[in-house]
């Protein structure tokens, strides 16, 4: 019998680690050169939700980083530290 797919992990409300820790090199509204690592995306709202979600202006890289147990862990701090390490490991 084939293995069932892993359950989808939902984003943690008020986290936005993936919108802060990594750099984004592709252009987006207001940031033609992307954003540096550690800078909160200016398209986060007050509840730390993406205002570009579902819009064609949202960078493709944002949609390619789905939440996972390894990345998100149990806390926002875990997610930020995981993504900071990933950023450092993949920087040119």
């Amino acid at each position: 019998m084939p293995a069932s797919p892993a359950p989808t992990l939902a984003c943690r409300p008020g986290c936005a680690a993936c919108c802060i820790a990594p750099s984004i090199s592709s252009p987006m509204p207001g940031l033609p050169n992307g954003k540096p690592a550690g800078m909160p995306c200016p398209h986060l709202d007050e509840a730390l939700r993406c205002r570009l979600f579902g819009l064609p202006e949202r960078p493709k890289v944002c949609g390619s980083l789905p939440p996972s147990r390894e990345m998100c862990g149990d806390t926002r701090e875990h997610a930020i530290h995981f993504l900071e390490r990933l950023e450092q490991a993949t920087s040119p």
Side-chain angles (χ1 to χ4, degrees), residues 2 10 21 28 47:
M28 66 176 95

Side-chain angles (χ1 to χ4, degrees), residues 17-49:
C18 60
C19 302
I20 298 168
S23 60
I24 297 176
S25 58
S26 55
M28 66 176 95
L31 295 173
N33 299 314
K35 75 163 207 70
M39 177 184 135
C41 179
H43 300 291
L44 288 171
D45 67 13
E46 297 76 27
L48 299 178
R49 291 180 300 232

Side-chain angles (χ1 to χ4, degrees), residues 11 17-19 22 58 60-68 71 82-83 86:
C11 285
C18 60
C19 302
R58 184 178 181 218
K60 290 184 187 205
V61 69
C62 297
S64 71
L65 188 62
S68 70
M71 178 176 76
F82 180 92
L83 290 165
L86 184 63

Side-chain angles (χ1 to χ4, degrees), residues 2 14 18 23 31 41 45 50-51 53 57-58 62 69 73-74 76-77 81 83-84 90-91:
C18 60
S23 60
L31 295 173
C41 179
D45 67 13
C50 178
R51 290 186 186 113
F53 191 87
E57 296 86 3
R58 184 178 181 218
C62 297
R69 174 63 52 203
D74 292 323
R76 178 178 194 244
E77 291 73 24
H81 291 300
L83 290 165
E84 286 172 342
T90 59
S91 292

